[in-house]
Every structure is written in structure tokens, then in C-alpha cells.
Amino acid sequence: MELDERKVKILQAIIRNYLETGEPVGSRTISKYTDLNLSSATIRNEMADLEELGYILQPHTSAGRIPSDKGYRLYVDTMMEERTREVEELKEMLLEKEDKMDHLLKQVAKVLAVNTNYATMISAPTYHRNKLKFIQLSRVERNQLLAVIVVEGNVIKNNIVQVTEELDDETLLKLNILLNTHLNGLAIEEINLGMISALKQQAGCHSSIVAEVIEAVGEAIQADEDLEIYTSGANNIFKYPELADNQKASELITAFEEKRMLTQLVQENLADENSTGIQVYIGDETPIQSMKDCSVVTATYELEEGMRGTIGIIGPKRMDYDKVIGTLRQLQNQLEELYKKK
Amino acid sequence: MELDERKVKILQAIIRNYLETGEPVGSRTISKYTDLNLSSATIRNEMADLEELGYILQPHTSAGRIPSDKGYRLYVDTMMEERTREVEELKEMLLEKEDKMDHLLKQVAKVLAVNTNYATMISAPTYHRNKLKFIQLSRVERNQLLAVIVVEGNVIKNNIVQVTEELDDETLLKLNILLNTHLNGLAIEEINLGMISALKQQAGCHSSIVAEVIEAVGEAIQADEDLEIYTSGANNIFKYPELADNQKASELITAFEEKRMLTQLVQENLADENSTGIQVYIGDETPIQSMKDCSVVTATYELEEGMRGTIGIIGPKRMDYDKVIGTLRQLQNQLEELYKKK
DNA sequence: GTTAGCACTCCGATCCAATGAGTGCTAATA
DNA sequence: TATTAGCACTCATTGGATCGGAGTGCTAAC
């Protein structure tokens, strides 16, 4: 049996209707809903076929049909090609240009959540491929140094370094010069052990401090390993009865709280390098167990070479895929634009 | 009618039982539960009295009794004086001493949530009364300065300052000295307009930069206005059926997500300067509308003069007040100790 | 190939009776 | 006078039983 054009139309009608109502949809509804001019009986036959093909399901014998994951998948794949919508409002909100990255990201997550009525997450860009731009040691107290580390993209890390010996201004200056001349412009990965011991040697009697500073650099970078993720709109899941029962809601909320679980999503998304950067996980396809009754749409954004992050939208399977994908597309562009403007 | 000792004992028994079961408790249960050796009939009479006095309620005619807010209040007030419990485990977990404040706070919230099975929040200490310790301007790119601002307690703020003119190293050094000599040791509030214009004058042709840096300082401080709040264990509310219905759960989750609402709690708590720093809000007493079916226990902790934050526990009215208050007490001490040790 | 029609299935709402936990009241008791 | 036993009464909850309706599958006719 083949999936002819009429079957696809019927499938689309079923899905669209289900997206609106959240209720299983029956043959009569489709018969009237579409402009196919077919009787409910014919639709029933077609539906039986569609079910056999695995695109729709019957929750119980005498109920209407709901889309299966496979059905959603087809729908999404077909839709992927089509339209984009306006998200002007969102654009405006973003343009209240926040100058701190984390504020911006929180803002994005929030706007997106309000806009779509789904739960959202956004991961801060990872800097792994980034280069060290600037290091500055300053004395804060007698035996306390402040190490400020700036990497490309103006991401700033601070670290307090405890030192045993007291340093005079001159030595501090020398150390600063030493560190900057040798480390600036280097990618994080390039700072290897050989490099470090060479530096230590040059620092002479202050080698221990160099060691500590380098360690601080390492720590600062490592802090990114458990990468920052901002979420918003978790409460939106209560808007969809199929997700709102205690069991599921609790699991979902937990996943959102323990951002740790969301990192899987980010990792997977960043690993993939497909053209649009938009991924749709339907039901079981998701890498996150507790979201197997949801659909997850993720998008990669890239601010500049090597600074990539992930935006994700988590909602019911009957998600408005068109809108979500459209919105994410726009957002990708806007984030990149916004970043360049600054 | 008076509230004699026996009535109080019965009330306590009712509350304790209700805390355990979450079900209305009947006279027979109390008759057996306590060591008062009274028949259920007598208890019934007493219960009728207690109800008349407003300490307990009957959800419906032939149900047992549940504590009213007034009842809880009495219970809490009585208990406040009593026992403290061990929270050794918690202590150990905390001693995996995190050196970044925000990590520590997140950790505390989490440990507390796991420990109590309630939702928790903790606000980062506010620094309003704190003094500027150190300012450092560095050039990151031709027309970009990095301002690092350290206030007491080693809280570090960064700000990128865009400048129109290019600065040579010497000028930068001068500016640094100027800023540090004049601003260091000053409380945030002491930096007023007069101060600023005096500084500008001394900076001569670079006054615009000084202005921008000062603005950056202002911004850095202001960022604290919407103070950081960390939450954990929001999913715990699903453990208590009386909070887990969609309506309430959604509102609560929202409150936890939109930390903005939690600030009310913090503000109120910090304003109050009572001895123990522990506050209990039962039901309607809470300042947060969406928590009117919960009880909220908050504690103030103080790391050093002027650095105070709030810990909060949000759970059902049938909260284990003893345990919660005890735990919070211990935590207060430990946070303070921990801070001093570092 | 399409459709009308019909028997059939099954969910969900509604009603009902039985159950039992718990009460209030009264009369007996210590 | 305080306590208790006993009893009638209330009412939420539970488990059937029933019924209507939405929807299906199948068959026969167009």
C-alpha cells in the first residue's frame, strides 16, 4: 500500500485538528473539515490504511485517531520546507539590548516561552575553540590576587588566587607581561604542559604563582564544562493536559530544575552540524527520558566561529511545529545579527 | 472557654497526626494515639471546643478535624522553643567547600531540598552596605576597556566600557590610580554626585571615561538590586497531594521560576531584625499570593556585618515545623562558620 | 471507487446502594 | 461534675450497573 497524496492530505487534516483540540479526531470531522468532499465512510477506509501504515493510532477501539510519532515526523518533514512567520514583537523585545550575555539569554528564553506557550531552554555559547584574549593579575589584598581572564567574545572569568608570598608591584607587572605575551591569542587547547613548564621556568622564583594562575585559567574554562543553561516557561506544561498529570509534570519540572539533564540535549545538538541547525525530536526520539511524551525542537545558534549555543523548545507532541520552527529560525538570525551589531 | 493544657495536648496530637498522614484525624485516633487515656467521646467534646475556639476545622460534617492556620500558628509558637536536631550529613556535604559563592548557595538550596523534601530557595547575600575594595581598568581592545570592580567579600563585577578615544598605557595607569585612591574603601552609598564631578575634574580630558567607569560601577551594583535567588526541589510539591493539583502546582512552579516573586519574601525577611531571624508564614500570612495554601519558613543568615541573605522553605501547611526550623537554625550557624573559616 | 447504513464497541457520565469513618447527643456511670 | 458508652445520623467514597454517544468496521448498493 502506498501513501498517496490524498492520504497525506487526510493525515495533515488529522494532525492539524488534533493540534487544535488535543482530542482524538474522528472520520466525520475530517469529512467536513477538509475540502476533499469525501464522506466519512471513505475517510474511515483511508484512516484504516493510515493506521496500518503506522501514521496514526487509535487510543481505544471506538475512539478517533491521533497522530503517531511517525505521523508527526512526516508532518514535520513536510512542513520544514514551508513558510516563516513574523516575530516582530520578539525582535523588539530583544532589541532592548541587554549588554550582559546572561541577561540576554534569560531574556530570550523568557520571550520565547511567552511567545510560544511552551517550555524553553537556552544554553550559553560554549567557548571551547576560543582564544585567550587577555589576562590580568591584580593584588586585592596582601596575599590575595585577582586573576581576570578574558577570552574571545568578551567572556570574562574571575578567580581569586591565594598566594603565600607577598608580591610587589613590579613583580606583578612582570608577571602580567609574561603571561600576556605568552598566552594571549592561544586557543585553550594549545596551553599544554610543555607550555606551562616553559612559563614557570621564565617566572623563576615566582613559578608557584604562575602555576596557580594557570590552574585558575584551567578552572575558569572548566566552569564551562557544566555549561550554563537558562530555562523559562516550565509552567507552560500545565497548559497541556496530556503532560500535566502529576507523574509526568513532576519529572519534567525536575528535568528543568536539574539543568544537568538538559545538557544532553545541548551536547547532541552541538555535535550535529546540519545545515539549518534545527532538530526535531518527537516522543521517543528525544535523548531525555523524562521527555518521551513530549516533542523537543532545538536550534543551534552561532555568534561567531566556535561560539555556539542551543535553544530548545519543549512541548506536547501536538506542538505547533510550523510556528516553533519559524520562530526558532528568526531567532537564530536575530541573535547573530544582534551580536554583530554590538 | 479557656484553652487548658489538655486541649493543647489534644491539639498537638491532632496536628502531629495530620502532619504524618495528611488526612483529617478523628476522635478515635487521638484517643488511642495519646497517653491521655481518654475515650473518643471525651476527645470529641474537646474537639468540638477546639473547633469553636478556631484551632481546628472540619472539612465536612462527618470528617475528622484538620488544623486551622490559627492552630498551626499556636503549634509553631510552642515548638519554637524546643529541640534542635542533628543535620550532620548536611554539614558534611557543605564542607566540600565550594569556593564560588554561587555554587555554594546552589548547593545549599539543593541539599536542603533533598533533606527536607520541600521546595527551597536561598538568596545571595546583599552587599548594600559594602565597601569598594578595588577597581581595575584594562584595555581589552583598541576602544574597549574592561572594568573590574571588587567589593568587600570578594564579590567581583565586570563591565565592558566602550570608549571613543584610544588610551595609551600611561593614561590608563593614571586613571587606575586616580580611581583607586579616591574610591577605595568607600561604601557604595558614599559615591555621590559631588564625588563624581570632583573625580571628573581631576581626570581632565579623560573625564568622559571616568564618567563611564563610574556608571559601570553603578550598574555593577545595581545588578544586585534584582538580587540573585537560587531555588531547588520545586518538584517536591508534587509529593503533597494538597498542593499538586494543576492550578496550584502551576502557580507555585511559576513563582519558583519567576524568582522575581520570591524577592518579596527576601525583602520582608531582611527588613525584620528579630533575634533568631526565623520567620514562619502559615497559609494566608505569606506575602506571596500563590503560596497561600503553603507554609513558608524563612531564615536570615549573616556572613558578616551587612552581608545578609535569606533561606526559605516552602511546603504544605502540614510541614514538619520542628525539623525545618531545626535544620534552618543549624544551617545559619554553619554558613556563618564556614564563611569565617575561609 | 465511493457511499449509505447498520451493528457493534467502548468510554464516560450518571445514578445508586453499600460502606465506613466520624460526629453529636443523651443517658448512665464514677 | 467530669467521663464514658452507646446510638442515631451524616456524608464522602467506592464499586457496580446503566445508558448515551461518538466512532468504528463491514457490507451492500450505487
Side-chain angles (χ1 to χ4, degrees):
Chain A
M1 184 174 17
E2 256 327 281
L3 189 66
D4 57 23
E5 192 182 349
R6 193 170 75 175
K7 283 193 175 51
V8 173
K9 272 192 178 162
I10 292 175
L11 178 59
Q12 288 193 355
I14 293 173
I15 296 184
R16 255 193 285 273
N17 191 279
Y18 183 66
L19 294 189
E20 273 175 34
T21 65
E23 297 288 309
V25 8
S27 52
R28 225 175 95 77
T29 314
I30 298 300
S31 157
K32 285 188 296 183
Y33 192 97
T34 60
D35 48 0
L36 292 170
N37 278 327
L38 293 174
S39 76
S40 64
T42 314
I43 303 291
R44 274 202 292 285
N45 292 332
E46 294 289 51
M47 281 166 107
D49 291 354
L50 281 170
E51 183 163 4
E52 198 179 329
L53 288 167
Y55 291 104
I56 51 180
L57 301 172
Q58 225 175 348
H60 58 83
T61 331
S62 71
R65 306 304 215 288
I66 61 173
S68 69
D69 287 5
K70 185 175 171 188
Y72 280 123
R73 165 57 57 202
L74 182 72
Y75 181 72
V76 169
D77 290 346
T78 322
M79 293 304 106
M80 270 299 228
E81 267 70 68
E82 295 173 21
R83 67 181 122 165
T84 41
R85 296 226 187 115
E86 30 49 50
V87 254
E88 280 310 316
E89 162 202 11
L90 190 150
K91 195 167 183 175
E92 276 167 37
M93 290 192 68
L94 278 186
L95 285 178
E96 292 169 8
K97 118 158 104 176
E98 294 278 355
D99 60 341
K100 299 257 179 173
M101 182 62 90
D102 58 337
H103 279 198
L104 173 66
L105 294 178
K106 273 181 199 167
Q107 183 81 338
V108 170
K110 191 158 174 187
V111 170
L112 201 52
V114 172
N115 214 265
T116 60
N117 274 318
Y118 301 122
T120 63
M121 52 139 283
I122 184 164
S123 78
T126 50
Y127 314 103
H128 296 290
R129 289 198 227 136
N130 264 328
K131 292 177 180 162
L132 219 52
K133 202 162 152 187
F134 177 73
I135 293 182
Q136 168 94 47
L137 287 182
S138 324
R139 190 173 49 248
V140 178
E141 278 179 26
R142 271 142 283 101
N143 57 349
Q144 246 182 8
L145 292 184
L146 169 65
V148 179
I149 298 143
V150 184
V151 295
E152 250 177 25
N154 285 346
V155 181
I156 304 156
K157 301 279 169 186
N158 304 299
N159 236 320
I160 298 278
V161 181
Q162 300 285 349
V163 291
T164 45
E165 41 178 336
E166 211 167 307
L167 290 177
D168 57 43
D169 286 352
E170 198 187 345
T171 326
L172 203 56
L173 187 61
K174 271 189 196 155
L175 277 178
N176 267 320
I177 292 173
L178 177 71
L179 286 169
N180 276 292
T181 47
H182 284 82
L183 296 180
N184 282 6
L186 288 189
I188 307 300
E189 295 81 4
E190 296 178 79
I191 306 177
N192 53 32
L193 268 183
M195 179 93 230
I196 295 174
S197 56
L199 265 179
K200 274 187 181 175
Q201 206 144 36
Q202 288 197 47
C205 61
H206 302 300
S207 70
S208 69
I209 293 182
V210 171
E212 288 197 71
V213 172
I214 304 247
E215 201 182 328
V217 174
E219 264 178 43
I221 306 308
Q222 192 138 44
D224 277 345
E225 284 303 305
D226 51 5
L227 73 180
E228 288 289 345
I229 293 183
Y230 305 98
T231 59
S232 184
N235 59 317
N236 278 331
I237 64 172
F238 291 104
K239 290 181 181 149
Y240 308 97
E242 65 265 50
L243 301 179
D245 79 272
N246 276 6
Q247 171 71 14
K248 286 177 198 159
S250 174
E251 281 179 21
L252 281 173
I253 296 290
T254 308
F256 268 80
E257 240 191 352
E258 303 264 348
K259 300 178 179 189
R260 180 171 42 78
M261 312 185 74
L262 297 177
T263 56
Q264 290 176 52
L265 215 50
V266 177
Q267 307 291 9
E268 179 147 335
N269 195 240
L270 290 185
D272 184 49
E273 306 248 3
N274 72 24
S275 57
T276 68
I278 292 194
Q279 274 284 346
V280 182
Y281 305 94
I282 297 160
D284 282 327
E285 300 170 6
T286 178
I288 300 180
Q289 178 57 18
S290 59
M291 294 182 180
K292 65 186 192 311
D293 293 310
C294 303
S295 276
V296 180
V297 182
T298 61
T300 305
Y301 66 89
E302 177 153 18
L303 298 189
E304 60 183 34
E305 183 59 42
M307 288 190 55
R308 299 161 75 217
T310 297
I311 316 169
I313 293 190
I314 295 96
K317 287 188 198 170
R318 60 182 176 103
M319 179 184 276
D320 186 338
Y321 295 100
D322 276 18
K323 183 177 171 190
V324 165
I325 292 174
T327 309
L328 282 179
R329 282 253 175 75
Q330 304 257 354
L331 201 51
Q332 284 179 316
N333 294 337
Q334 274 164 34
L335 272 177
E336 290 167 31
E337 249 177 60
L338 199 68
Y339 184 78
K340 274 173 203 143
K341 264 193 206 137
K342 287 205 300 189
Chain B
M1 184 173 18
E2 257 325 282
L3 189 66
D4 57 22
E5 193 182 346
R6 193 171 75 176
K7 283 191 175 56
V8 173
K9 273 193 177 161
I10 292 175
L11 178 58
Q12 288 193 355
I14 293 173
I15 296 184
R16 255 194 285 272
N17 191 279
Y18 183 66
L19 293 189
E20 274 175 32
T21 64
E23 296 289 308
V25 8
S27 53
R28 225 175 96 77
T29 315
I30 298 300
S31 157
K32 286 188 295 184
Y33 193 96
T34 59
D35 49 359
L36 292 170
N37 278 326
L38 292 173
S39 78
S40 63
T42 313
I43 303 291
R44 273 201 292 286
N45 292 332
E46 294 289 51
M47 281 165 105
D49 290 355
L50 281 170
E51 183 164 2
E52 199 181 327
L53 288 167
Y55 291 104
I56 52 181
L57 301 171
Q58 223 174 348
H60 57 84
T61 328
S62 73
R65 306 304 215 287
I66 61 173
S68 68
D69 287 4
K70 184 176 171 187
Y72 280 125
R73 164 59 54 203
L74 182 72
Y75 180 72
V76 169
D77 290 345
T78 323
M79 293 304 106
M80 271 301 229
E81 267 70 70
E82 293 174 23
R83 71 180 116 163
T84 41
R85 296 228 186 114
E86 28 51 51
V87 256
E88 280 310 316
E89 163 202 8
L90 191 150
K91 194 167 182 173
E92 275 167 36
M93 290 191 69
L94 277 186
L95 284 179
E96 292 169 9
K97 123 156 101 175
E98 295 278 357
D99 60 342
K100 299 257 181 173
M101 182 61 90
D102 60 336
H103 279 197
L104 172 66
L105 295 178
K106 274 180 198 167
Q107 184 81 336
V108 170
K110 191 158 174 185
V111 170
L112 201 52
V114 172
N115 214 266
T116 59
N117 274 318
Y118 301 123
T120 63
M121 52 138 284
I122 184 165
S123 79
T126 50
Y127 312 103
H128 296 292
R129 288 196 229 139
N130 265 326
K131 291 175 181 165
L132 221 51
K133 203 162 151 186
F134 177 73
I135 294 182
Q136 169 92 48
L137 287 182
S138 325
R139 190 174 46 249
V140 179
E141 279 179 26
R142 270 143 285 99
N143 56 348
Q144 249 182 6
L145 292 185
L146 169 66
V148 179
I149 298 143
V150 184
V151 294
E152 251 176 24
N154 284 346
V155 181
I156 304 157
K157 302 280 168 185
N158 304 299
N159 235 318
I160 299 277
V161 181
Q162 301 284 349
V163 290
T164 44
E165 41 177 335
E166 211 166 310
L167 289 179
D168 57 43
D169 286 352
E170 198 187 344
T171 326
L172 203 56
L173 187 61
K174 271 190 197 154
L175 276 178
N176 267 319
I177 293 172
L178 177 70
L179 287 169
N180 276 292
T181 47
H182 284 81
L183 296 179
N184 282 7
L186 287 190
I188 306 300
E189 296 81 3
E190 296 179 79
I191 307 178
N192 52 32
L193 268 183
M195 178 92 232
I196 295 174
S197 58
L199 265 177
K200 274 187 180 174
Q201 205 146 36
Q202 288 197 46
C205 61
H206 302 300
S207 69
S208 68
I209 294 182
V210 170
E212 288 197 71
V213 172
I214 303 247
E215 199 181 331
V217 174
E219 266 178 40
I221 305 308
Q222 190 138 43
D224 276 346
E225 284 303 305
D226 50 5
L227 72 181
E228 289 288 347
I229 293 184
Y230 305 100
T231 59
S232 184
N235 60 317
N236 279 331
I237 65 171
F238 291 103
K239 289 180 181 150
Y240 308 97
E242 65 266 49
L243 301 180
D245 80 88
N246 276 6
Q247 172 70 15
K248 287 177 199 160
S250 173
E251 281 178 21
L252 281 172
I253 296 291
T254 308
F256 267 80
E257 241 193 350
E258 302 264 350
K259 298 174 184 196
R260 182 171 40 78
M261 312 185 74
L262 297 176
T263 56
Q264 290 176 53
L265 215 51
V266 176
Q267 306 293 8
E268 180 147 338
N269 196 240
L270 290 184
D272 184 48
E273 306 248 1
N274 72 24
S275 57
T276 67
I278 292 192
Q279 274 284 346
V280 182
Y281 304 93
I282 298 160
D284 282 326
E285 300 170 5
T286 178
I288 300 181
Q289 177 57 15
S290 58
M291 294 182 180
K292 65 187 193 310
D293 293 309
C294 303
S295 276
V296 180
V297 183
T298 60
T300 305
Y301 66 90
E302 177 153 18
L303 298 189
E304 60 185 34
E305 183 59 42
M307 288 188 55
R308 300 161 75 216
T310 298
I311 315 169
I313 293 190
I314 295 96
K317 287 189 199 170
R318 59 182 177 102
M319 180 184 277
D320 187 338
Y321 294 100
D322 277 18
K323 184 178 171 190
V324 165
I325 292 173
T327 309
L328 283 179
R329 282 252 176 75
Q330 304 258 354
L331 201 51
Q332 283 179 316
N333 294 336
Q334 275 164 34
L335 271 176
E336 289 167 30
E337 249 177 61
L338 199 69
Y339 183 79
K340 274 175 203 141
K341 263 193 204 136
K342 287 207 300 193

